[in-house]
Amino acid sequence: MQTRGVLIAAVTACLLLGWWLAHPPSTLPRPDPTAIAGCPLPPRVQRGDPPLQTDAPRGLALPAMGIATLSPLAGFSVEARVLGREDYRLGREAEFSPTDLALGWGRMADDTVLAQLDISQGGRWYRYRWQDQPPIPADEIARSSANMHIVPANDAVAAALGRVEAGQRLRIDGWLVRIDADDGRWHWRSSLSREDSGEGACELVYACALTPL
């Protein structure tokens, strides 16, 4: 009986060795290059769903950016269509977020709807206009789109952000944050609702991963 057990173990070891030789590490799935240690990914939104906001785990700490501290307010995951992008170089905000993305999901990602809207960005705002009647209810437009200030978590995310173009679809996973600088004399805080509009309604997203779809 003992000899049989040894034989089974030897055969199992040979099978495992054969599998490993047939599947060297270079062929195995690689980690997402846009995800970094210190920026764990939150729960991810399901395809076709509106943005997913989740509670930030207790004790989660994000890396400082210079002398500024980042406080995670909520996990955030969104799959959306890029309605526009606007880059910024001036102002304190640009030190952290060089690019705003106007994003749309649900019917705000449909060509027939977007063709009837005039979309623009500027001054860290996102604006839309229509002629006569809106293509979908105005409150749905507000709930299904937003201007998001993107804070890249690393160089890979920054490079991916630099390649984003209007019209493409992408996924962003990260955290809605508050940024404090100048010993607390300056701060920038994310909205935590998709229902609001106007000043303070934009999401401030610390992006751990940005992936074209």
Side-chain angles (χ1 to χ4, degrees), residues 83-86 88 100-105 108 114 117-129 140-149 197-198 202-203:
L83 309 182
R85 67 170 291 157
E86 186 75 13
Y88 296 91
D100 281 4
L101 297 180
L103 301 179
W105 51 90
M108 276 299 289
L114 297 178
L117 293 173
D118 178 19
I119 293 173
S120 62
Q121 289 170 278
R124 295 286 182 177
W125 288 70
Y126 148 63
R127 302 172 179 84
Y128 47 83
R129 295 184 298 176
E140 183 180 351
I141 295 176
R143 290 195 312 270
S144 302
S145 63
N147 187 63
M148 301 194 183
H149 313 308
S197 60
C202 296
E203 285 74 15

PDB file of all heavy atoms in Angstrom, residues 83-86 88 100-105 108 114 117-129 140-149 197-198 202-203:
ATOM      1  N   LEU A  83     -16.485  61.291 -24.244  1.00  0.00           N
ATOM      2  CA  LEU A  83     -17.204  62.346 -24.967  1.00  0.00           C
ATOM      3  C   LEU A  83     -16.284  63.512 -25.319  1.00  0.00           C
ATOM      4  O   LEU A  83     -16.573  64.280 -26.239  1.00  0.00           O
ATOM      5  CB  LEU A  83     -18.376  62.844 -24.115  1.00  0.00           C
ATOM      6  CG  LEU A  83     -19.320  61.769 -23.567  1.00  0.00           C
ATOM      7  CD1 LEU A  83     -20.450  62.408 -22.776  1.00  0.00           C
ATOM      8  CD2 LEU A  83     -19.859  60.890 -24.682  1.00  0.00           C
ATOM      9  N   GLY A  84     -15.206  63.643 -24.586  1.00  0.00           N
ATOM     10  CA  GLY A  84     -14.237  64.709 -24.851  1.00  0.00           C
ATOM     11  C   GLY A  84     -13.121  64.662 -23.828  1.00  0.00           C
ATOM     12  O   GLY A  84     -13.252  64.034 -22.774  1.00  0.00           O
ATOM     13  N   ARG A  85     -12.015  65.316 -24.155  1.00  0.00           N
ATOM     14  CA  ARG A  85     -10.916  65.451 -23.206  1.00  0.00           C
ATOM     15  C   ARG A  85     -10.406  66.878 -23.268  1.00  0.00           C
ATOM     16  O   ARG A  85     -10.484  67.559 -24.293  1.00  0.00           O
ATOM     17  CB  ARG A  85      -9.778  64.477 -23.523  1.00  0.00           C
ATOM     18  CG  ARG A  85      -9.036  64.750 -24.808  1.00  0.00           C
ATOM     19  CD  ARG A  85      -7.783  63.886 -24.931  1.00  0.00           C
ATOM     20  NE  ARG A  85      -6.763  64.279 -23.976  1.00  0.00           N
ATOM     21  CZ  ARG A  85      -5.793  63.478 -23.560  1.00  0.00           C
ATOM     22  NH1 ARG A  85      -5.712  62.239 -24.016  1.00  0.00           N
ATOM     23  NH2 ARG A  85      -4.894  63.909 -22.694  1.00  0.00           N
ATOM     24  N   GLU A  86      -9.909  67.337 -22.153  1.00  0.00           N
ATOM     25  CA  GLU A  86      -9.335  68.686 -22.068  1.00  0.00           C
ATOM     26  C   GLU A  86      -8.106  68.603 -21.175  1.00  0.00           C
ATOM     27  O   GLU A  86      -8.164  68.093 -20.051  1.00  0.00           O
ATOM     28  CB  GLU A  86     -10.354  69.668 -21.494  1.00  0.00           C
ATOM     29  CG  GLU A  86      -9.894  71.119 -21.496  1.00  0.00           C
ATOM     30  CD  GLU A  86      -9.924  71.755 -22.881  1.00  0.00           C
ATOM     31  OE1 GLU A  86     -10.528  71.168 -23.809  1.00  0.00           O
ATOM     32  OE2 GLU A  86      -9.357  72.856 -23.028  1.00  0.00           O
ATOM     33  N   TYR A  88      -4.813  70.391 -19.147  1.00  0.00           N
ATOM     34  CA  TYR A  88      -4.538  71.603 -18.377  1.00  0.00           C
ATOM     35  C   TYR A  88      -3.076  71.624 -17.939  1.00  0.00           C
ATOM     36  O   TYR A  88      -2.516  70.589 -17.542  1.00  0.00           O
ATOM     37  CB  TYR A  88      -5.442  71.667 -17.140  1.00  0.00           C
ATOM     38  CG  TYR A  88      -6.912  71.771 -17.470  1.00  0.00           C
ATOM     39  CD1 TYR A  88      -7.699  70.625 -17.599  1.00  0.00           C
ATOM     40  CD2 TYR A  88      -7.510  73.015 -17.672  1.00  0.00           C
ATOM     41  CE1 TYR A  88      -9.040  70.714 -17.915  1.00  0.00           C
ATOM     42  CE2 TYR A  88      -8.865  73.101 -17.990  1.00  0.00           C
ATOM     43  CZ  TYR A  88      -9.617  71.953 -18.106  1.00  0.00           C
ATOM     44  OH  TYR A  88     -10.952  72.050 -18.425  1.00  0.00           O
ATOM     45  N   ASP A 100      -8.881  66.290 -17.946  1.00  0.00           N
ATOM     46  CA  ASP A 100     -10.274  65.972 -17.631  1.00  0.00           C
ATOM     47  C   ASP A 100     -10.838  65.135 -18.761  1.00  0.00           C
ATOM     48  O   ASP A 100     -10.604  65.420 -19.948  1.00  0.00           O
ATOM     49  CB  ASP A 100     -11.118  67.241 -17.509  1.00  0.00           C
ATOM     50  CG  ASP A 100     -10.942  67.956 -16.177  1.00  0.00           C
ATOM     51  OD1 ASP A 100     -10.099  67.512 -15.375  1.00  0.00           O
ATOM     52  OD2 ASP A 100     -11.647  68.965 -15.966  1.00  0.00           O
ATOM     53  N   LEU A 101     -11.591  64.114 -18.415  1.00  0.00           N
ATOM     54  CA  LEU A 101     -12.318  63.323 -19.396  1.00  0.00           C
ATOM     55  C   LEU A 101     -13.807  63.482 -19.158  1.00  0.00           C
ATOM     56  O   LEU A 101     -14.287  63.266 -18.041  1.00  0.00           O
ATOM     57  CB  LEU A 101     -11.944  61.843 -19.293  1.00  0.00           C
ATOM     58  CG  LEU A 101     -10.494  61.465 -19.593  1.00  0.00           C
ATOM     59  CD1 LEU A 101     -10.306  59.958 -19.440  1.00  0.00           C
ATOM     60  CD2 LEU A 101     -10.065  61.914 -20.981  1.00  0.00           C
ATOM     61  N   ALA A 102     -14.529  63.877 -20.197  1.00  0.00           N
ATOM     62  CA  ALA A 102     -15.987  63.844 -20.150  1.00  0.00           C
ATOM     63  C   ALA A 102     -16.399  62.452 -20.595  1.00  0.00           C
ATOM     64  O   ALA A 102     -16.038  62.006 -21.688  1.00  0.00           O
ATOM     65  CB  ALA A 102     -16.581  64.901 -21.065  1.00  0.00           C
ATOM     66  N   LEU A 103     -17.121  61.739 -19.738  1.00  0.00           N
ATOM     67  CA  LEU A 103     -17.473  60.351 -20.001  1.00  0.00           C
ATOM     68  C   LEU A 103     -18.987  60.166 -20.029  1.00  0.00           C
ATOM     69  O   LEU A 103     -19.715  60.839 -19.296  1.00  0.00           O
ATOM     70  CB  LEU A 103     -16.876  59.441 -18.921  1.00  0.00           C
ATOM     71  CG  LEU A 103     -15.348  59.465 -18.773  1.00  0.00           C
ATOM     72  CD1 LEU A 103     -14.919  58.532 -17.646  1.00  0.00           C
ATOM     73  CD2 LEU A 103     -14.664  59.077 -20.076  1.00  0.00           C
ATOM     74  N   GLY A 104     -19.428  59.248 -20.869  1.00  0.00           N
ATOM     75  CA  GLY A 104     -20.845  58.934 -20.948  1.00  0.00           C
ATOM     76  C   GLY A 104     -21.074  57.438 -20.919  1.00  0.00           C
ATOM     77  O   GLY A 104     -20.280  56.667 -21.455  1.00  0.00           O
ATOM     78  N   TRP A 105     -22.154  57.018 -20.286  1.00  0.00           N
ATOM     79  CA  TRP A 105     -22.515  55.602 -20.211  1.00  0.00           C
ATOM     80  C   TRP A 105     -24.015  55.480 -20.431  1.00  0.00           C
ATOM     81  O   TRP A 105     -24.730  56.489 -20.516  1.00  0.00           O
ATOM     82  CB  TRP A 105     -22.099  55.006 -18.863  1.00  0.00           C
ATOM     83  CG  TRP A 105     -22.561  55.798 -17.676  1.00  0.00           C
ATOM     84  CD1 TRP A 105     -23.735  55.638 -16.999  1.00  0.00           C
ATOM     85  CD2 TRP A 105     -21.883  56.898 -17.059  1.00  0.00           C
ATOM     86  NE1 TRP A 105     -23.832  56.568 -15.995  1.00  0.00           N
ATOM     87  CE2 TRP A 105     -22.699  57.349 -15.997  1.00  0.00           C
ATOM     88  CE3 TRP A 105     -20.650  57.546 -17.292  1.00  0.00           C
ATOM     89  CZ2 TRP A 105     -22.337  58.415 -15.183  1.00  0.00           C
ATOM     90  CZ3 TRP A 105     -20.294  58.599 -16.486  1.00  0.00           C
ATOM     91  CH2 TRP A 105     -21.122  59.031 -15.430  1.00  0.00           C
ATOM     92  N   MET A 108     -26.002  57.664 -23.050  1.00  0.00           N
ATOM     93  CA  MET A 108     -25.054  58.735 -23.362  1.00  0.00           C
ATOM     94  C   MET A 108     -23.783  58.203 -24.028  1.00  0.00           C
ATOM     95  O   MET A 108     -22.826  58.947 -24.232  1.00  0.00           O
ATOM     96  CB  MET A 108     -24.701  59.510 -22.105  1.00  0.00           C
ATOM     97  CG  MET A 108     -25.715  60.589 -21.765  1.00  0.00           C
ATOM     98  SD  MET A 108     -25.862  61.853 -23.058  1.00  0.00           S
ATOM     99  CE  MET A 108     -24.303  62.715 -22.869  1.00  0.00           C
ATOM    100  N   LEU A 114     -25.602  61.159 -29.100  1.00  0.00           N
ATOM    101  CA  LEU A 114     -24.487  62.112 -29.104  1.00  0.00           C
ATOM    102  C   LEU A 114     -24.497  62.993 -30.353  1.00  0.00           C
ATOM    103  O   LEU A 114     -24.036  64.138 -30.297  1.00  0.00           O
ATOM    104  CB  LEU A 114     -23.165  61.356 -29.008  1.00  0.00           C
ATOM    105  CG  LEU A 114     -22.971  60.541 -27.716  1.00  0.00           C
ATOM    106  CD1 LEU A 114     -21.648  59.801 -27.753  1.00  0.00           C
ATOM    107  CD2 LEU A 114     -23.054  61.448 -26.494  1.00  0.00           C
ATOM    108  N   LEU A 117     -26.174  66.302 -29.690  1.00  0.00           N
ATOM    109  CA  LEU A 117     -25.668  67.133 -28.604  1.00  0.00           C
ATOM    110  C   LEU A 117     -24.387  67.835 -29.027  1.00  0.00           C
ATOM    111  O   LEU A 117     -23.561  67.264 -29.738  1.00  0.00           O
ATOM    112  CB  LEU A 117     -25.388  66.268 -27.365  1.00  0.00           C
ATOM    113  CG  LEU A 117     -26.598  65.643 -26.664  1.00  0.00           C
ATOM    114  CD1 LEU A 117     -26.131  64.687 -25.579  1.00  0.00           C
ATOM    115  CD2 LEU A 117     -27.503  66.728 -26.071  1.00  0.00           C
ATOM    116  N   ASP A 118     -24.239  69.055 -28.581  1.00  0.00           N
ATOM    117  CA  ASP A 118     -23.002  69.802 -28.757  1.00  0.00           C
ATOM    118  C   ASP A 118     -22.267  69.758 -27.417  1.00  0.00           C
ATOM    119  O   ASP A 118     -22.736  70.327 -26.427  1.00  0.00           O
ATOM    120  CB  ASP A 118     -23.298  71.245 -29.168  1.00  0.00           C
ATOM    121  CG  ASP A 118     -22.038  72.076 -29.322  1.00  0.00           C
ATOM    122  OD1 ASP A 118     -20.945  71.484 -29.462  1.00  0.00           O
ATOM    123  OD2 ASP A 118     -22.131  73.316 -29.277  1.00  0.00           O
ATOM    124  N   ILE A 119     -21.128  69.069 -27.373  1.00  0.00           N
ATOM    125  CA  ILE A 119     -20.398  68.835 -26.127  1.00  0.00           C
ATOM    126  C   ILE A 119     -19.093  69.619 -26.137  1.00  0.00           C
ATOM    127  O   ILE A 119     -18.368  69.631 -27.131  1.00  0.00           O
ATOM    128  CB  ILE A 119     -20.121  67.329 -25.943  1.00  0.00           C
ATOM    129  CG1 ILE A 119     -21.443  66.594 -25.720  1.00  0.00           C
ATOM    130  CG2 ILE A 119     -19.160  67.075 -24.788  1.00  0.00           C
ATOM    131  CD1 ILE A 119     -21.318  65.087 -25.697  1.00  0.00           C
ATOM    132  N   SER A 120     -18.798  70.279 -25.024  1.00  0.00           N
ATOM    133  CA  SER A 120     -17.559  71.048 -24.918  1.00  0.00           C
ATOM    134  C   SER A 120     -17.036  70.976 -23.490  1.00  0.00           C
ATOM    135  O   SER A 120     -17.748  70.592 -22.558  1.00  0.00           O
ATOM    136  CB  SER A 120     -17.790  72.506 -25.322  1.00  0.00           C
ATOM    137  OG  SER A 120     -18.730  73.130 -24.451  1.00  0.00           O
ATOM    138  N   GLN A 121     -15.772  71.336 -23.322  1.00  0.00           N
ATOM    139  CA  GLN A 121     -15.133  71.375 -22.011  1.00  0.00           C
ATOM    140  C   GLN A 121     -14.298  72.633 -21.897  1.00  0.00           C
ATOM    141  O   GLN A 121     -13.824  73.182 -22.894  1.00  0.00           O
ATOM    142  CB  GLN A 121     -14.216  70.162 -21.814  1.00  0.00           C
ATOM    143  CG  GLN A 121     -14.917  68.830 -21.643  1.00  0.00           C
ATOM    144  CD  GLN A 121     -13.947  67.673 -21.690  1.00  0.00           C
ATOM    145  OE1 GLN A 121     -13.563  67.234 -22.771  1.00  0.00           O
ATOM    146  NE2 GLN A 121     -13.543  67.179 -20.526  1.00  0.00           N
ATOM    147  N   GLY A 122     -14.080  73.059 -20.659  1.00  0.00           N
ATOM    148  CA  GLY A 122     -13.233  74.214 -20.407  1.00  0.00           C
ATOM    149  C   GLY A 122     -13.384  74.662 -18.969  1.00  0.00           C
ATOM    150  O   GLY A 122     -14.454  74.515 -18.371  1.00  0.00           O
ATOM    151  N   GLY A 123     -12.289  75.179 -18.396  1.00  0.00           N
ATOM    152  CA  GLY A 123     -12.338  75.655 -17.028  1.00  0.00           C
ATOM    153  C   GLY A 123     -12.687  74.590 -16.020  1.00  0.00           C
ATOM    154  O   GLY A 123     -13.316  74.866 -14.998  1.00  0.00           O
ATOM    155  N   ARG A 124     -12.335  73.335 -16.334  1.00  0.00           N
ATOM    156  CA  ARG A 124     -12.637  72.178 -15.496  1.00  0.00           C
ATOM    157  C   ARG A 124     -14.128  71.859 -15.456  1.00  0.00           C
ATOM    158  O   ARG A 124     -14.607  71.200 -14.526  1.00  0.00           O
ATOM    159  CB  ARG A 124     -12.098  72.371 -14.069  1.00  0.00           C
ATOM    160  CG  ARG A 124     -10.581  72.446 -13.996  1.00  0.00           C
ATOM    161  CD  ARG A 124      -9.955  71.073 -14.186  1.00  0.00           C
ATOM    162  NE  ARG A 124      -8.498  71.120 -14.074  1.00  0.00           N
ATOM    163  CZ  ARG A 124      -7.716  70.049 -14.144  1.00  0.00           C
ATOM    164  NH1 ARG A 124      -8.232  68.862 -14.350  1.00  0.00           N
ATOM    165  NH2 ARG A 124      -6.419  70.161 -14.031  1.00  0.00           N
ATOM    166  N   TRP A 125     -14.834  72.299 -16.496  1.00  0.00           N
ATOM    167  CA  TRP A 125     -16.259  72.024 -16.598  1.00  0.00           C
ATOM    168  C   TRP A 125     -16.518  71.221 -17.871  1.00  0.00           C
ATOM    169  O   TRP A 125     -15.738  71.257 -18.825  1.00  0.00           O
ATOM    170  CB  TRP A 125     -17.078  73.313 -16.666  1.00  0.00           C
ATOM    171  CG  TRP A 125     -17.149  74.066 -15.380  1.00  0.00           C
ATOM    172  CD1 TRP A 125     -16.143  74.751 -14.761  1.00  0.00           C
ATOM    173  CD2 TRP A 125     -18.290  74.224 -14.547  1.00  0.00           C
ATOM    174  NE1 TRP A 125     -16.585  75.326 -13.597  1.00  0.00           N
ATOM    175  CE2 TRP A 125     -17.906  75.020 -13.438  1.00  0.00           C
ATOM    176  CE3 TRP A 125     -19.599  73.783 -14.628  1.00  0.00           C
ATOM    177  CZ2 TRP A 125     -18.787  75.376 -12.423  1.00  0.00           C
ATOM    178  CZ3 TRP A 125     -20.490  74.144 -13.623  1.00  0.00           C
ATOM    179  CH2 TRP A 125     -20.075  74.926 -12.535  1.00  0.00           C
ATOM    180  N   TYR A 126     -17.675  70.554 -17.902  1.00  0.00           N
ATOM    181  CA  TYR A 126     -18.181  69.847 -19.082  1.00  0.00           C
ATOM    182  C   TYR A 126     -19.565  70.405 -19.386  1.00  0.00           C
ATOM    183  O   TYR A 126     -20.395  70.543 -18.485  1.00  0.00           O
ATOM    184  CB  TYR A 126     -18.199  68.341 -18.779  1.00  0.00           C
ATOM    185  CG  TYR A 126     -19.282  67.526 -19.436  1.00  0.00           C
ATOM    186  CD1 TYR A 126     -19.365  67.412 -20.829  1.00  0.00           C
ATOM    187  CD2 TYR A 126     -20.206  66.806 -18.667  1.00  0.00           C
ATOM    188  CE1 TYR A 126     -20.341  66.631 -21.419  1.00  0.00           C
ATOM    189  CE2 TYR A 126     -21.178  66.013 -19.244  1.00  0.00           C
ATOM    190  CZ  TYR A 126     -21.245  65.934 -20.629  1.00  0.00           C
ATOM    191  OH  TYR A 126     -22.212  65.162 -21.215  1.00  0.00           O
ATOM    192  N   ARG A 127     -19.790  70.744 -20.646  1.00  0.00           N
ATOM    193  CA  ARG A 127     -21.056  71.366 -21.025  1.00  0.00           C
ATOM    194  C   ARG A 127     -21.669  70.619 -22.208  1.00  0.00           C
ATOM    195  O   ARG A 127     -20.952  70.089 -23.060  1.00  0.00           O
ATOM    196  CB  ARG A 127     -20.851  72.836 -21.381  1.00  0.00           C
ATOM    197  CG  ARG A 127     -20.244  73.663 -20.247  1.00  0.00           C
ATOM    198  CD  ARG A 127     -19.872  75.058 -20.720  1.00  0.00           C
ATOM    199  NE  ARG A 127     -19.309  75.864 -19.660  1.00  0.00           N
ATOM    200  CZ  ARG A 127     -18.023  75.843 -19.299  1.00  0.00           C
ATOM    201  NH1 ARG A 127     -17.170  75.045 -19.947  1.00  0.00           N
ATOM    202  NH2 ARG A 127     -17.592  76.616 -18.324  1.00  0.00           N
ATOM    203  N   TYR A 128     -22.991  70.630 -22.279  1.00  0.00           N
ATOM    204  CA  TYR A 128     -23.704  70.046 -23.426  1.00  0.00           C
ATOM    205  C   TYR A 128     -24.890  70.929 -23.773  1.00  0.00           C
ATOM    206  O   TYR A 128     -25.502  71.558 -22.909  1.00  0.00           O
ATOM    207  CB  TYR A 128     -24.155  68.615 -23.121  1.00  0.00           C
ATOM    208  CG  TYR A 128     -24.825  68.430 -21.788  1.00  0.00           C
ATOM    209  CD1 TYR A 128     -26.180  68.706 -21.608  1.00  0.00           C
ATOM    210  CD2 TYR A 128     -24.094  67.994 -20.681  1.00  0.00           C
ATOM    211  CE1 TYR A 128     -26.794  68.539 -20.384  1.00  0.00           C
ATOM    212  CE2 TYR A 128     -24.702  67.827 -19.448  1.00  0.00           C
ATOM    213  CZ  TYR A 128     -26.053  68.100 -19.302  1.00  0.00           C
ATOM    214  OH  TYR A 128     -26.650  67.943 -18.083  1.00  0.00           O
ATOM    215  N   ARG A 129     -25.175  70.961 -25.069  1.00  0.00           N
ATOM    216  CA  ARG A 129     -26.308  71.753 -25.558  1.00  0.00           C
ATOM    217  C   ARG A 129     -27.037  70.951 -26.621  1.00  0.00           C
ATOM    218  O   ARG A 129     -26.487  70.027 -27.215  1.00  0.00           O
ATOM    219  CB  ARG A 129     -25.823  73.082 -26.163  1.00  0.00           C
ATOM    220  CG  ARG A 129     -25.174  74.032 -25.158  1.00  0.00           C
ATOM    221  CD  ARG A 129     -24.822  75.336 -25.834  1.00  0.00           C
ATOM    222  NE  ARG A 129     -23.848  75.129 -26.922  1.00  0.00           N
ATOM    223  CZ  ARG A 129     -23.428  76.102 -27.733  1.00  0.00           C
ATOM    224  NH1 ARG A 129     -23.895  77.332 -27.601  1.00  0.00           N
ATOM    225  NH2 ARG A 129     -22.549  75.834 -28.672  1.00  0.00           N
ATOM    226  N   GLU A 140     -31.614  62.461 -17.450  1.00  0.00           N
ATOM    227  CA  GLU A 140     -30.865  61.258 -17.819  1.00  0.00           C
ATOM    228  C   GLU A 140     -29.488  61.625 -18.360  1.00  0.00           C
ATOM    229  O   GLU A 140     -28.510  60.926 -18.108  1.00  0.00           O
ATOM    230  CB  GLU A 140     -31.640  60.440 -18.847  1.00  0.00           C
ATOM    231  CG  GLU A 140     -30.930  59.142 -19.205  1.00  0.00           C
ATOM    232  CD  GLU A 140     -31.694  58.300 -20.230  1.00  0.00           C
ATOM    233  OE1 GLU A 140     -32.856  58.653 -20.536  1.00  0.00           O
ATOM    234  OE2 GLU A 140     -31.132  57.304 -20.729  1.00  0.00           O
ATOM    235  N   ILE A 141     -29.410  62.710 -19.113  1.00  0.00           N
ATOM    236  CA  ILE A 141     -28.110  63.183 -19.592  1.00  0.00           C
ATOM    237  C   ILE A 141     -27.192  63.462 -18.406  1.00  0.00           C
ATOM    238  O   ILE A 141     -26.027  63.063 -18.383  1.00  0.00           O
ATOM    239  CB  ILE A 141     -28.271  64.447 -20.463  1.00  0.00           C
ATOM    240  CG1 ILE A 141     -29.035  64.128 -21.746  1.00  0.00           C
ATOM    241  CG2 ILE A 141     -26.903  65.050 -20.790  1.00  0.00           C
ATOM    242  CD1 ILE A 141     -29.312  65.329 -22.617  1.00  0.00           C
ATOM    243  N   ALA A 142     -27.735  64.148 -17.403  1.00  0.00           N
ATOM    244  CA  ALA A 142     -26.934  64.502 -16.228  1.00  0.00           C
ATOM    245  C   ALA A 142     -26.508  63.268 -15.446  1.00  0.00           C
ATOM    246  O   ALA A 142     -25.374  63.200 -14.946  1.00  0.00           O
ATOM    247  CB  ALA A 142     -27.728  65.456 -15.337  1.00  0.00           C
ATOM    248  N   ARG A 143     -27.404  62.272 -15.327  1.00  0.00           N
ATOM    249  CA  ARG A 143     -27.088  61.063 -14.559  1.00  0.00           C
ATOM    250  C   ARG A 143     -26.157  60.121 -15.302  1.00  0.00           C
ATOM    251  O   ARG A 143     -25.494  59.293 -14.678  1.00  0.00           O
ATOM    252  CB  ARG A 143     -28.373  60.294 -14.217  1.00  0.00           C
ATOM    253  CG  ARG A 143     -29.287  60.950 -13.216  1.00  0.00           C
ATOM    254  CD  ARG A 143     -30.306  59.936 -12.697  1.00  0.00           C
ATOM    255  NE  ARG A 143     -30.939  59.200 -13.788  1.00  0.00           N
ATOM    256  CZ  ARG A 143     -32.059  59.575 -14.409  1.00  0.00           C
ATOM    257  NH1 ARG A 143     -32.662  60.702 -14.020  1.00  0.00           N
ATOM    258  NH2 ARG A 143     -32.579  58.849 -15.374  1.00  0.00           N
ATOM    259  N   SER A 144     -26.132  60.234 -16.629  1.00  0.00           N
ATOM    260  CA  SER A 144     -25.398  59.261 -17.441  1.00  0.00           C
ATOM    261  C   SER A 144     -24.130  59.831 -18.059  1.00  0.00           C
ATOM    262  O   SER A 144     -23.587  59.255 -19.008  1.00  0.00           O
ATOM    263  CB  SER A 144     -26.305  58.728 -18.557  1.00  0.00           C
ATOM    264  OG  SER A 144     -27.464  58.133 -18.016  1.00  0.00           O
ATOM    265  N   SER A 145     -23.659  60.935 -17.528  1.00  0.00           N
ATOM    266  CA  SER A 145     -22.414  61.521 -18.023  1.00  0.00           C
ATOM    267  C   SER A 145     -21.805  62.388 -16.929  1.00  0.00           C
ATOM    268  O   SER A 145     -22.505  62.819 -16.009  1.00  0.00           O
ATOM    269  CB  SER A 145     -22.658  62.355 -19.289  1.00  0.00           C
ATOM    270  OG  SER A 145     -23.516  63.465 -19.014  1.00  0.00           O
ATOM    271  N   ALA A 146     -20.520  62.604 -17.037  1.00  0.00           N
ATOM    272  CA  ALA A 146     -19.840  63.423 -16.026  1.00  0.00           C
ATOM    273  C   ALA A 146     -18.484  63.861 -16.545  1.00  0.00           C
ATOM    274  O   ALA A 146     -17.889  63.204 -17.414  1.00  0.00           O
ATOM    275  CB  ALA A 146     -19.676  62.644 -14.723  1.00  0.00           C
ATOM    276  N   ASN A 147     -18.016  64.961 -15.995  1.00  0.00           N
ATOM    277  CA  ASN A 147     -16.650  65.416 -16.232  1.00  0.00           C
ATOM    278  C   ASN A 147     -15.795  64.901 -15.072  1.00  0.00           C
ATOM    279  O   ASN A 147     -16.119  65.128 -13.904  1.00  0.00           O
ATOM    280  CB  ASN A 147     -16.588  66.939 -16.289  1.00  0.00           C
ATOM    281  CG  ASN A 147     -15.228  67.437 -16.691  1.00  0.00           C
ATOM    282  OD1 ASN A 147     -14.758  67.169 -17.781  1.00  0.00           O
ATOM    283  ND2 ASN A 147     -14.576  68.188 -15.817  1.00  0.00           N
ATOM    284  N   MET A 148     -14.727  64.180 -15.396  1.00  0.00           N
ATOM    285  CA  MET A 148     -13.915  63.556 -14.351  1.00  0.00           C
ATOM    286  C   MET A 148     -12.480  64.054 -14.434  1.00  0.00           C
ATOM    287  O   MET A 148     -11.853  64.018 -15.503  1.00  0.00           O
ATOM    288  CB  MET A 148     -13.966  62.039 -14.478  1.00  0.00           C
ATOM    289  CG  MET A 148     -15.380  61.496 -14.379  1.00  0.00           C
ATOM    290  SD  MET A 148     -15.452  59.713 -14.125  1.00  0.00           S
ATOM    291  CE  MET A 148     -17.241  59.466 -14.165  1.00  0.00           C
ATOM    292  N   HIS A 149     -11.968  64.520 -13.291  1.00  0.00           N
ATOM    293  CA  HIS A 149     -10.578  64.942 -13.183  1.00  0.00           C
ATOM    294  C   HIS A 149      -9.741  63.692 -12.907  1.00  0.00           C
ATOM    295  O   HIS A 149      -9.909  63.051 -11.871  1.00  0.00           O
ATOM    296  CB  HIS A 149     -10.397  65.934 -12.037  1.00  0.00           C
ATOM    297  CG  HIS A 149     -11.424  67.036 -11.995  1.00  0.00           C
ATOM    298  ND1 HIS A 149     -11.716  67.838 -13.072  1.00  0.00           N
ATOM    299  CD2 HIS A 149     -12.242  67.469 -10.986  1.00  0.00           C
ATOM    300  CE1 HIS A 149     -12.641  68.724 -12.739  1.00  0.00           C
ATOM    301  NE2 HIS A 149     -12.980  68.511 -11.474  1.00  0.00           N
ATOM    302  N   SER A 197     -24.869  68.206 -10.163  1.00  0.00           N
ATOM    303  CA  SER A 197     -24.402  68.986 -11.307  1.00  0.00           C
ATOM    304  C   SER A 197     -23.920  70.334 -10.796  1.00  0.00           C
ATOM    305  O   SER A 197     -24.171  70.714  -9.655  1.00  0.00           O
ATOM    306  CB  SER A 197     -25.522  69.171 -12.342  1.00  0.00           C
ATOM    307  OG  SER A 197     -26.632  69.848 -11.769  1.00  0.00           O
ATOM    308  N   GLY A 198     -23.189  71.040 -11.647  1.00  0.00           N
ATOM    309  CA  GLY A 198     -22.684  72.352 -11.261  1.00  0.00           C
ATOM    310  C   GLY A 198     -21.365  72.262 -10.520  1.00  0.00           C
ATOM    311  O   GLY A 198     -20.660  71.241 -10.553  1.00  0.00           O
ATOM    312  N   CYS A 202     -17.942  67.296 -10.102  1.00  0.00           N
ATOM    313  CA  CYS A 202     -17.048  66.429 -10.874  1.00  0.00           C
ATOM    314  C   CYS A 202     -16.370  65.394  -9.969  1.00  0.00           C
ATOM    315  O   CYS A 202     -16.109  65.659  -8.789  1.00  0.00           O
ATOM    316  CB  CYS A 202     -15.972  67.244 -11.584  1.00  0.00           C
ATOM    317  SG  CYS A 202     -16.623  68.388 -12.833  1.00  0.00           S
ATOM    318  N   GLU A 203     -16.075  64.244 -10.552  1.00  0.00           N
ATOM    319  CA  GLU A 203     -15.342  63.205  -9.840  1.00  0.00           C
ATOM    320  C   GLU A 203     -13.842  63.476  -9.952  1.00  0.00           C
ATOM    321  O   GLU A 203     -13.343  63.808 -11.029  1.00  0.00           O
ATOM    322  CB  GLU A 203     -15.662  61.823 -10.417  1.00  0.00           C
ATOM    323  CG  GLU A 203     -17.021  61.287 -10.045  1.00  0.00           C
ATOM    324  CD  GLU A 203     -18.164  61.961 -10.769  1.00  0.00           C
ATOM    325  OE1 GLU A 203     -17.909  62.661 -11.782  1.00  0.00           O
ATOM    326  OE2 GLU A 203     -19.311  61.813 -10.331  1.00  0.00           O
TER     327      GLU A 203
END
